[in-house]
Amino acid sequence: MSKASPGPTPGFLVWRLANKWRVAVDRAVAPLGLTHAQYSLVASLYGMQRAGERPSQRRLADHTGLEALYVSKLARALESAGLIERTRDPRDPRAVQLALTEQGRAVTRQAVGVVQELLQQLLEPLGGLDAARTRAFTDELTILLGAPLSPSVPNDESTQGTTP
């Protein structure tokens, strides 16, 4: 909490909402053999493939906001589960391209349906997925996600004693 505000800070609320959402998605996709992070990867890959793209691990990392090393780890696990294929990019032998297998597409379609229902439930207080308040909320989140952040100095006195 900040000294200027008697209630929780926006950062704290965003953090709490993100954790609530992660836990809910983890529980919802677990019966399909996925975690929230794996779901984020396969759902993004599904959308990119539908748009005609066969992304590299790096491109998928950039798209999801996940660290490239973490995407690599997730991709190996998903490959072992038979959900994705990892192949060398013929244009760049250092790059690995990803694609969903048939089984991966089927599991991803199911998972997207489950998560869409969950999203509708989460957004019901704003009027649901197609509500004007939800669109405004999405616009605000998009603005915040697009704002560049400068790396903070670890012992900067202006950041001491603040919460996320």
Side-chain angles (χ1 to χ4, degrees):
M1 300 226 307
S2 97
K3 294 174 186 169
S5 171
T9 65
F12 179 74
L13 293 173
V14 168
W15 176 73
R16 288 283 315 273
L17 183 60
N19 281 318
K20 177 181 180 179
W21 180 246
R22 183 192 48 78
V23 168
V25 173
D26 267 336
R27 289 179 181 154
V29 298
L32 298 171
L34 296 172
T35 65
H36 182 259
Q38 290 172 330
Y39 168 76
S40 296
L41 200 78
V42 296
S44 294
L45 186 54
Y46 183 73
M48 294 168 100
Q49 277 187 242
R50 289 184 55 162
E53 196 174 340
R54 185 175 177 132
S56 67
Q57 286 183 174
R58 163 56 63 195
R59 169 81 177 93
L60 197 55
D62 292 344
H63 178 80
T64 60
L66 297 171
E67 292 291 328
L69 192 58
Y70 190 45
V71 168
S72 177
K73 179 183 173 186
L74 290 170
R76 283 192 302 273
L78 290 165
E79 182 181 41
S80 294
L83 301 181
I84 67 168
E85 299 171 334
R86 298 169 67 239
T87 57
R88 290 280 169 206
D89 185 333
R91 296 164 298 183
D92 181 356
R94 297 167 298 159
V96 175
Q97 290 181 317
L98 303 175
L100 290 166
T101 63
E102 257 325 297
Q103 178 187 356
R105 281 189 292 280
V107 168
T108 301
R109 280 191 295 271
Q110 283 183 281
V112 166
V114 167
V115 172
Q116 282 295 106
E117 287 178 27
L118 188 59
L119 186 58
Q120 181 66 32
Q121 181 183 354
L122 178 70
L123 294 171
E124 197 57 43
L126 298 180
L129 193 54
D130 297 321
R133 285 182 68 195
T134 299
R135 285 190 297 279
F137 179 61
T138 302
D139 290 345
E140 297 293 339
L141 290 172
T142 302
I143 290 168
L144 293 174
L145 284 170
L149 292 177
S150 304
S152 64
V153 180
N155 290 321
D156 182 353
E157 289 181 19
S158 67
T159 62
Q160 302 244 337
T162 60
T163 59

